[in-house]
Amino acid sequence: MTVRQAESAAPATAAVRRRITVRGVVQGVGFRPFVHTLATELGLTGQVTNTADGVVAEVEGPPAAVARFGVRIGGDAPPLAVVEAVHGEDIAATGGTGFAVLPSRADGPTRTLVSPDTATCAACLAELRDPADRRYRHPFLTCTHCGPRFTIVTALPYDRAKTTMARFPMCPRCAREYADPTDRRFHAQPIACHDCGPRLRLTGAQPVNPGADPLAGARRLLADGAIVAVKGLGGYHLVCDAADDDAVTLLRRRKNRGDKPFALMARQLSDIAGLVDISAEERAVLTGPVRPIVLLRRRTPDPVPGLSPAVAPGSPDLGVMLPYTPLHHLLLGLPGDPPGPRLLVMTSGNVAGEPIVTDDDEALRRLAHLADAWLAHDRPIQVPCDDSVVRICDGEPLFVRRSRGYAPLPVTLPVPVRPALAAGGDLKNVLCLGEGRRAWLSAHIGDMDDLATQQAFQRAGEHLETVTGVRPRLLAADRHPGYRSTRWAQRHAGERELVHVQHHHAHIAAAMAEHGLDGARPVIGVAFDGTGYGDDGAVWGGEILLADYAGYRRFAQLSYVPLPGGDATVRRPYRMALAHLRAAGLDRSPDLPPVAACPPDERRLLERQLQRGLHCVPTSSMGRLFDAVSSLAGVCHHAGYEAQAAVELEAAALTAEDDHGPGYAFALDAADPAAPATADPAPVLAAIVEDLRADTAPALIAARFHTAVAGLVRRCCALARARTGLETVALTGGVFANTLLAGTTARLLRQEGLTVLRHRRVPPNDGGLALGQLVVAARVADGPR
């Protein structure tokens, strides 16, 4: 018999064994029960376990079935899984029967990924509402397809013993479900029920009946106008009835909120149908597994029945989210419950500028002057995690804040990086840890001017190192010597290298990285924001840079004007308007809105300050120009929160007629190719003054200004292409969170035949800064940086 004949005579079903490692978000998402079910369906024996490297399965059986398993393990993965890689290797067959789920192993370097927290799934919601189900009205109901993950994990591999659920031993019925591979709660680490899960409690200034239902008591308090601190997944919320003007106004005053909009939580979309317009894309994000706050355009800025005008004064949007935990569903009420508030204000449980409160004792202390009662529970929160904020721009998501539901999902990098930690900025701080081709961004931390926020920053970095296994050997930080994030990096660098990255270069690099550009060719980077430390010590913020990861050249800028008094001018936009008018050589006559808004004594001092240049740092900031025009048009003279003047200017522009009539135009000095082109807003300001004296509506002035800024970008980018041949434009910086400006600018650039990159995975504001810092500072490249 020939060899070929012998091979053909061998049994076609001879068993083979294969070890398959799956990396990505594969722990805490029902991956092992999925593997068990798949192997059983295909008639395979073997085992599966969690390791620090991911999920490792060994399957044995007929070659065709083993091959099908290898295909389906990645293609048919559970809904919350994110499969990044599937690696298989043949190993010796061992025989045996059945398929086992083995205990997790913690050996080896951490390469697996933690799942973000996820909104209650439809199956769990049905149980929550079913009086016949044993988890009926259970506030902590969850399964492998939903519930807390990132905010409760203390270490990897992801098992109950390494979460904050470790203190809650499972009852016999939950233990049976946990051990049953056919059950939806098989190895669902937060599994619990009324018998063995966390407990709610309601406390307040007034005595609470210890035997009463805490949720029913909280609903009554809300209906009576109280402010209740409610413990959620990633921290406390301050909650009140959004229709109760007294309650909303009181919360705004207690929290020192200024006019910054509050977020709303609605039981269902029909409850907000008369307030906002909802596109198909917005509906998909609102109802999806993350349930972030989505900024929706208001149908009318005027007061409407059922919503206090104090919820979002002056804002073109309402920030709306749907319930994402069983507790939220119960707080808003199930069918048949007594009537309660239809819409709830849900704002972070903190004082303005401080991090969100997570600890129960701390909540009683720090929120004592804010809340009338506390609805808490005894499951600890390991990681603070504010709600994410998203808006839809031209049919695509645009992050304002990337946090709950998205952190700590990594961004895949187009270039490898050394193990590094980027410290981010001082506003909207987010840090970034990276190694190889992955970058992990923390949840939103906040503004670094508060000691509690700096401590939260430290804890966030330590936890991210724990769950990623990355040990940074390099630190990256902003060049601003006064940034607290930069000072932290300087204090903690030790023997590690510290690289300072220019602010706007980092913004542009972040846009490049999330779009997968390898940096082989520069982009035309348009970085518009409020503040960034420039190479010349000035305050930059209206920049067009020719940039790659290795460096940048300033191609164009907004012309410098003095910034008198720093933060005082940011809070009082009329000061910026007066500085711009003076720089443009325009009269500051009393009939102009910013002149009238400035008290006479302050105006005299400001004039002397500008004449002598005292405490007047030059700035090219586009954000500050938006402030100036907002005041000049009579829209906003005092800013109670960051970018309020710009937000209200956008709101005004959105109400203008479609036909804007004669436009405004910046003067552009680009005569010297060796020097940055300079865009002078003086002609725009002069045209606005002329329009004001012709009684032109503020809305029309606002719309014309937006169009002028978009037109300036078009002219500068067309000039850059003509001089360099570059055809890709990255729009970045906080100013491009303005969807009217971003959409108009992108449309004009595309009309020029240019490719436009806009942020879709990290915010354009400083919440995305750390990603750019990381790639600039830590990329692995040949030769010097």
Side-chain angles (χ1 to χ4, degrees), residues 202 208-209 212-224 226 228 331 373 375:
L202 180 66
V208 177
N209 183 351
D213 176 10
L215 271 163
R219 279 172 51 79
R220 283 194 298 272
L221 285 169
L222 291 170
D224 291 341
V228 180
L331 194 61
L375 180 63

Side-chain angles (χ1 to χ4, degrees), residues 93 172 214 303 314 354 371 487 532 555 598 609 681 773:
E354 295 183 359
R487 291 175 180 174
F555 179 81
C598 185
Q609 185 177 2
Q773 291 174 346

Side-chain angles (χ1 to χ4, degrees), residues 43 119 138 175 193 275 278 285 306 316 323 348 385 496 540 560 587 683 690 708 725 731 752 773:
H138 178 47
C193 70
L275 303 177
I278 306 176
V285 176
S348 299
C385 208
R496 295 179 292 187
W540 286 13
Y560 285 133
D587 286 340
E690 186 177 336
L731 302 180
E752 289 286 336
Q773 291 174 346

Side-chain angles (χ1 to χ4, degrees), residues 11-18 43-45 59-66 91-96:
T13 57
V16 298
R17 191 175 184 90
R18 192 163 177 80
L44 301 174
T45 62
V59 290
E60 185 170 330
V66 170
I91 57 176
T94 62

Side-chain angles (χ1 to χ4, degrees), residues 450-751:
D450 180 84
L451 178 60
T453 310
Q454 295 168 40
Q455 294 169 340
F457 173 94
Q458 178 78 25
R459 292 191 297 269
E462 292 169 352
H463 184 262
L464 209 53
E465 288 187 31
T466 298
V467 299
T468 63
V470 176
R471 301 295 178 260
R473 299 196 296 269
L474 177 149
L475 299 182
D478 195 273
R479 284 185 183 172
H480 197 302
Y483 271 13
R484 291 164 182 84
S485 54
T486 300
R487 291 175 180 174
W488 179 93
Q490 291 168 339
R491 290 195 306 271
H492 290 82
E495 297 182 356
R496 295 179 292 187
E497 182 182 4
L498 171 60
V499 178
H500 295 276
V501 181
Q502 200 280 327
H503 191 91
H504 303 96
H505 186 201
H507 272 309
I508 295 164
M512 293 172 63
E514 72 163 272
H515 283 276
L517 274 63
D518 64 7
R521 185 169 171 79
V523 301
I524 305 167
V526 183
F528 287 173
D529 62 6
T531 301
Y533 189 75
D535 294 344
D536 54 2
V539 176
W540 286 13
E543 314 307 316
I544 297 180
L545 309 181
L546 307 180
D548 54 22
Y549 299 129
Y552 60 92
R553 175 168 69 88
R554 198 181 195 189
F555 179 81
Q557 65 168 93
L558 201 61
S559 60
Y560 285 133
V561 296
L563 177 65
D567 287 346
T569 297
V570 175
R571 292 190 297 269
R572 287 172 271 178
Y574 61 77
R575 292 173 62 90
M576 200 69 239
L578 293 175
H580 262 287
L581 288 170
R582 188 177 188 280
L586 298 171
D587 286 340
R588 278 83 69 205
S589 55
D591 63 317
L592 295 179
V595 180
C598 185
D601 288 345
E602 182 181 355
R603 191 162 71 246
R604 285 190 292 271
L605 287 172
L606 182 61
E607 281 290 336
R608 285 201 295 271
Q609 185 177 2
L610 291 168
Q611 285 172 0
R612 298 173 184 177
L614 296 175
H615 304 295
C616 289
V617 179
T619 181
S620 59
S621 168
M622 182 61 77
R624 299 289 79 81
L625 179 59
F626 266 81
D627 291 351
V629 172
S630 187
S631 177
L632 184 57
V635 172
C636 178
H637 301 303
H638 296 83
Y641 62 91
E642 186 196 6
Q644 178 179 350
V647 167
E648 294 189 4
L649 190 68
E650 180 190 7
L654 290 167
T655 65
E657 299 291 336
D658 290 339
D659 183 7
H660 298 161
Y664 307 148
F666 289 77
L668 184 62
D669 180 1
D672 183 359
T678 302
D680 186 356
V684 173
L685 300 171
I688 292 173
V689 170
E690 186 177 336
D691 272 352
L692 285 169
R693 288 178 173 146
D695 292 327
T696 303
L700 190 53
I701 292 173
R704 288 174 176 172
F705 175 70
H706 279 75
T707 302
V709 174
L712 171 66
V713 175
R714 178 182 191 172
R715 291 165 63 198
C716 288
C717 292
L719 179 63
R721 178 179 56 185
R723 289 183 176 177
T724 67
L726 300 176
E727 295 188 331
T728 299
V729 179
L731 302 180
T732 187
V735 169
F736 283 109
N738 177 325
T739 54
L740 175 60
L741 177 67
T744 304
T745 304
R747 185 178 68 254
L748 294 179
L749 291 173
R750 291 183 183 122
Q751 288 173 3

